[in-house]
Amino acid sequence: MVNPERRPVSGSVGDTVGVEEEFHVLDPDSGRLAPVDATRLAGLGSEPVAVPEFLRTVVETGSSVCRSLGELRADLFRRRSRLRAAVAARGLEVVAAGTVPDAGVRVVGVYPTDRYRHLAEEYQQLAREQLVCACQVQVGVPDRELAVAVADRIRVWLPALLALSASSPFFGNRDTGYASYRTMLLWRWPTAGPPAGFGSAAEYDRVVDALIHTGTISDPGMIYFDVRPSVRYPTVEIRVGDACPLLDDVLLLAALGRALVRVAAAEALAGTPAPLVRPELLRAATWRAARSGLDATLIDPVRLTALPAAELIDRLVDHAGPALAAAGEQADVARLLASARSRGTAAARQRAALARRGDLHDVVRLLIDETAAGPG
């Protein structure tokens, strides 16, 4: 519950939404990851095409602050197109997926900043294998106390968002058996995974300060929880999703994420308690989503039941329904979700591509083509 002495005004909660997308850079002929200096990619005007990420074969783009799905759709497609054009000038391609088959085959090195060099030295093999890409949704929440209250309430729905986004079955040129092996790689970091409920911004800050002061992490940017109040912006940051090759799946995550934030904010302001969920059960629900995506059962960590994936997704949409209706986005989400269900997850599509000829290059080609495609 929000501290009544700091009860915020909720009028602008969820008015804005943005997306940060991470991309693997690779050679389209060999499928091998290719280091690139994002700062040298040609841009249009003064706006950068992308910014460097931790490892040298990954770059990141961030959308403008948007207010509608249509605005976000156009912005993301423009940024993807500019990035693809910039790397194509070097004979390369970009792929939006949690992992690509070549990830983990060889050490690619970190982007040469002091911070990244420190991380590589401190975390060793974890850092060397951090060849993963995420799709992160930023939803405007202007009051930080409310942002923590929102995170406490939406965390139970994040496994369902992970299942929808699952796009990383391959690592080290092998099928890992997971729909989102990116999740498994990320979980090895000391601050990754489903967060505990914090109850207040003060308690959240106390935990982060303790992690820094004990030397576990070096700065607040190393909080890799599946959801957190943003370090830089007045937003709630939903970080659970794999990078999505198809832009429509990014838009689905953004719409559902924003609706969850709006519903959670309304509940917090009304004094509705956050769900009490054992961390072990929430971790189990997230593991199950990473393991099988939408292709088997998922776990409802509140009702303590296993159920078909489609049923949990329906519960998510029903829960988010009031906010989707208020935003006029119910029809868009219904269409996006129907398409996602009909074609299956990106992980399932990649396995189907491999099954046709047994050639991992077909997986890479599929990911390149889907990343290049416009919205449906």
Side-chain angles (χ1 to χ4, degrees), residues 10 13 29 43 66 111 117 125 169 186 191 205 231 250-251 255 257 264 324 351 353 367 371:
S10 63
V13 170
D29 296 324
C66 299
Y111 189 76
R117 289 189 183 103
Q125 191 69 10
L186 190 62
T191 60
D205 291 341
V231 175
V250 178
L251 296 170
L324 293 172
R351 288 186 169 124
L367 289 172
T371 301

Side-chain angles (χ1 to χ4, degrees), residues 12 46 61 73 114 130 140 172 178 184 242 246 251 253 261 289-290 311 313 354 358 364 367 376:
S12 60
S46 59
T61 65
R73 177 186 294 111
D114 290 343
Q130 193 61 14
Y178 283 80
M184 298 295 99
D242 280 3
L246 287 175
L251 296 170
L253 287 187
V261 167
E311 187 174 336
I313 300 302
L354 177 64
V364 174
L367 289 172

Side-chain angles (χ1 to χ4, degrees), residues 63-64 66 68-82 247 251 375:
S63 76
S64 301
C66 299
S68 70
L69 278 187
E71 184 183 359
L72 182 63
R73 177 186 294 111
D75 187 90
L76 290 174
F77 182 60
R78 177 178 66 86
R79 292 175 188 277
R80 283 190 175 201
S81 298
R82 293 173 71 239
L247 196 52
L251 296 170

